[in-house]
Amino acid sequence: MKINCQVRYSSHPDDAKHYDTPKLREQFLVENVMVTDEINMVYSMYDRIIAGGAVPVKEELVLKAPEVLRADYFTQRRELGIINVGGTGIVKVGDEEFEIPFKEALYVGRGNRDVSFRSADPANPAHFYFNSALAHRETGIKHVTKKDAVVMHLGSLEESNERTINRLLVKEVVPCCQLQMGMTELAPGSTWNTMPAHTHDRRMEFYFYFELPEGAAVCHFMGEPQETRHIWMHNEQAVVSPQWSIHSACATRNYTFIWGMCGENDDYNDMDWVATEELK
């Protein structure tokens, strides 16, 4: 078993606007999230969120605390949200086992030791995507299905942004401390997400794009509203979205993405909207 952890430092918007393409990708893009029999994660200094992936095939993968945490175990001071984007998998937390099918989630609160991942069928392995945030209290464990989610239908086919937002790990569903996670599914024929765009100074965000077939690509837009930049991305890649940045995308076809947030405010609707005509 192999665990990889990168540390990404924060960038001031005045600095980020001068980044060329390689530098922009180096600072914000996470290319290798899902690798067979590995756990890969990024520790971001933006609100100290962790984003990562685990693909258990030949062996069970144990989520150990990387050196940067200086912790005895991963959830010693953290909460953890997991969404499976592959074949059915099993997450073991302590002595409990949870079967997590495709597009279902598991919330693991602070203080739950010994988290591990395995696939029900190695020929169709689970792809576990996870986010983790600092937590101030212990909140338990909960398996969350799409039926449990707070669901919103937004956009239209005429605007190329018809989508369903599944708010899976939010305070209305689980007793999170600051972590929020959900999954947005674009309807066939729609390609835009989160448009009109917005920022939220009180929290940062990670986006993870999936259900993009080979040959398809998504163009992720970021940056200050009057200084936007873009990053081309492919299936099962993630991107950091700072507090000062918009986060939107348009792809060569419809797709699904997972959003994960943490920071000052756990109110999902706390957003600062940016009119489309104001973007530059």
Side-chain angles (χ1 to χ4, degrees), residues 135-210:
H136 63 279
R137 59 189 170 93
E138 297 182 359
T139 48
I141 309 170
K142 185 173 181 179
H143 178 194
V144 179
T145 71
K146 288 178 71 175
K147 292 181 180 179
D148 300 318
V150 179
V151 179
M152 301 168 60
H153 300 285
L154 296 177
S156 67
L157 190 59
E158 289 76 16
E159 297 172 302
S160 302
N161 66 354
E162 182 181 353
R163 61 199 188 276
T164 300
I165 301 173
N166 303 279
R167 293 161 61 186
L168 293 163
L169 305 184
V170 294
K171 62 183 179 181
E172 295 87 352
V173 180
V174 296
C176 304
C177 290
Q178 62 164 319
L179 181 66
Q180 299 180 66
M181 291 183 73
M183 180 172 55
T184 299
E185 301 168 299
L186 272 72
S190 288
T191 57
W192 277 103
N193 77 63
T194 321
M195 184 57 70
H198 63 263
T199 61
H200 27 66
D201 285 341
R202 290 148 296 282
R203 58 177 182 260
M204 63 79 62
E205 198 158 359
F206 247 106
Y207 270 20
F208 171 79
Y209 293 97
F210 70 106

Side-chain angles (χ1 to χ4, degrees), residues 72-87:
D72 296 329
Y73 57 97
F74 192 90
T75 57
Q76 185 175 9
R77 297 183 294 269
R78 289 183 160 269
E79 58 186 341
L80 174 67
I82 305 162
I83 299 176
N84 184 14
V85 300

Side-chain angles (χ1 to χ4, degrees), residues 45-114:
M45 290 299 180
Y46 290 110
D47 287 309
R48 298 188 181 274
I49 193 172
I50 292 176
V55 184
V57 178
K58 297 179 181 178
E59 57 183 320
E60 185 174 26
L61 301 180
V62 179
L63 184 61
K64 298 180 180 179
E67 181 65 22
V68 68
L69 295 188
R70 294 291 202 274
D72 296 329
Y73 57 97
F74 192 90
T75 57
Q76 185 175 9
R77 297 183 294 269
R78 289 183 160 269
E79 58 186 341
L80 174 67
I82 305 162
I83 299 176
N84 184 14
V85 300
T88 298
I90 295 92
V91 181
K92 186 175 182 182
V93 185
D95 295 326
E96 291 188 84
E97 291 191 348
F98 301 87
E99 184 175 276
I100 311 297
F102 181 57
K103 290 187 176 180
E104 293 192 3
L106 183 70
Y107 174 79
V108 182
R110 170 178 169 161
N112 288 286
R113 288 177 173 261
D114 304 325

